[in-house]
Amino acid sequence: MKKSNFVALILGTIGMVFFSLGMCMGLLPEWGLFNQGVVCGVIGLAVLLITVAVWRKMEGKAPIKLNAKTAGAVVAGVLGALLLGVGLCLSMVFGKMVLGIVIGLVGIVVLLMLIPLTRGIH
């Protein structure tokens, strides 16, 4: 394993632990730790963003360019993940199986559109 991948593994694990713990703290009312959960989640997101920058630097890659294509890919990824999550919630929590499956499939299609959007079709 290359050093850059090992560093990304460690930082990614730390970031995800903070983020997921923050989500649990914020979304479980029994814990009563909403404000602390938000802080913990933001710390996790910051560590994850730092992980991307550190890994790209160690691999000798250029920083990510912020342009319309990158912003569109981020919006499509967020939208696809939200649609997939809403579809799962409708199917599993609210018992609206058909509507949940349709919305979930739309989310999957949006996520699949990321491949040609970021890599292109050759």
Side-chain angles (χ1 to χ4, degrees):
M1 177 180 274
K2 295 184 346 186
K3 187 191 298 188
S4 60
N5 291 338
F6 182 70
V7 169
L9 174 75
I10 298 299
L11 286 174
T13 302
I14 292 169
M16 284 308 296
V17 166
F18 269 98
F19 180 72
S20 59
L21 184 61
M23 292 296 288
C24 289
M25 291 165 69
L27 296 175
L28 293 175
E30 298 88 17
W31 290 12
L33 297 170
F34 180 79
N35 293 334
Q36 296 90 334
V38 170
V39 171
C40 189
V42 168
I43 290 170
L45 283 176
V47 170
L48 290 172
L49 288 174
I50 290 169
T51 301
V52 172
V54 167
W55 180 79
R56 291 187 71 83
K57 180 84 170 170
M58 291 180 79
E59 287 287 317
K61 296 184 178 196
I64 297 173
K65 296 176 186 171
L66 296 177
N67 54 23
K69 183 179 177 183
T70 304
V74 169
V75 168
V78 169
L79 180 67
L82 286 174
L83 285 172
L84 182 59
V86 167
L88 286 171
C89 286
L90 285 172
S91 296
M92 297 187 330
V93 176
F94 297 112
K96 299 184 185 220
M97 188 64 71
V98 175
L99 181 62
I101 289 173
V102 169
I103 292 175
L105 285 175
V106 170
I108 290 172
V109 169
V110 171
L111 290 172
L112 286 173
M113 287 181 355
L114 285 173
I115 297 168
L117 180 66
T118 56
R119 299 287 180 195
I121 298 175
H122 302 287

